[in-house]
Amino acid sequence: MSATPTPAHILEVRGIHTFIGEFHILEGVTVEVPPGSITVLLGRNGAGKTTTLRSIIGLAPPRAGEIAFKGVPIHGLRAHKIAQMGIGYVPEKRIIFRDLTVGENLLIAERDKGDLERKADFIFGLFPDLKRLYHLPGGHLSGGQQQMLAIARALVADNSLLLIDEPSEGLAPVLIEHMMEAIRQLSASTTVLLVEQNFQVASQLAERYVIIEEGISVHSGLMADLVQDKALITTYLGVA
């Protein structure tokens, strides 16, 4: 009996259509994410990048199209079921529990008891500030530290795919560099799909890209090729 072949992509999004209320936000988005890679969704504000992440994780289920994780269809599953399969999600706007301490924020992210203890060295190696501020309420952290905590919470459980929405938004340049280095390090063990509006950050982080324009994926490929295509960058991203 032959073994089941391993999928070429850890995540496959095929022609999804997603509505928010009566508004048809995604009108045919396709995304392929190879394992062990950093892939970025690019596009202008309102193009549908965040909705794509929310569709994958089940918070905005698509009405048409297919989504497969490790070859298993996940479209139509509830968000908590998708998360249990090993997909972590870091939404935009640094969503944390501001009244809970850093440690409490991390502990409630456990999927199984002992997750934080097993991952502590890895998480605090990426984000040393969180170890130092372990007993401080999340609301007392700086914007950059809150972003670190938001990402760290998604690392507590064993996730093989991490969805990150706008990790550099609102951060000072020195904190952006820190965040980029942390994402590079965690990508050694976790595949990353991110939304990033800052093209300079995206081009330095990602190996692959997908451009979304008005709810449709219009271009994809290697980031090294996109960086050389000034016309494509200007047309779809408005970056000179």
Side-chain angles (χ1 to χ4, degrees), residues 14 40 62 100 233:
R14 300 291 186 191
V40 63
L100 300 183
I233 294 171

Side-chain angles (χ1 to χ4, degrees), residues 82-186:
I82 295 173
Q84 288 172 357
M85 295 175 71
I87 301 180
Y89 176 50
V90 183
E92 59 183 342
K93 309 300 183 188
R94 305 169 195 148
I95 296 176
I96 60 169
F97 295 99
R98 300 175 61 85
D99 294 333
L100 300 183
T101 66
V102 168
E104 290 166 339
N105 266 275
L106 295 172
L107 277 169
I108 63 173
E110 288 189 328
R111 189 173 296 141
D112 299 307
K113 187 173 179 58
D115 279 346
L116 179 57
E117 184 177 358
R118 289 187 296 104
K119 290 290 195 70
D121 288 345
F122 174 64
I123 290 172
F124 296 136
L126 287 176
F127 304 117
D129 279 5
L130 298 185
K131 185 174 184 179
R132 178 173 58 85
L133 303 170
Y134 192 82
H135 298 291
L136 197 69
H140 292 196
L141 273 57
S142 70
Q145 290 163 344
Q146 289 181 14
Q147 184 67 290
M148 294 172 196
L149 179 56
I151 293 178
R153 291 181 69 246
L155 301 177
V156 172
D158 288 325
N159 291 313
S160 49
L161 174 64
L162 192 59
L163 313 178
I164 308 178
D165 198 352
E166 297 281 12
S168 75
E169 183 179 21
L171 298 186
V174 65
L175 291 177
I176 290 175
E177 289 293 334
H178 186 173
M179 191 65 60
M180 289 171 63
E181 182 55 33
I183 292 173
R184 287 191 191 100
Q185 289 185 43
L186 71 88

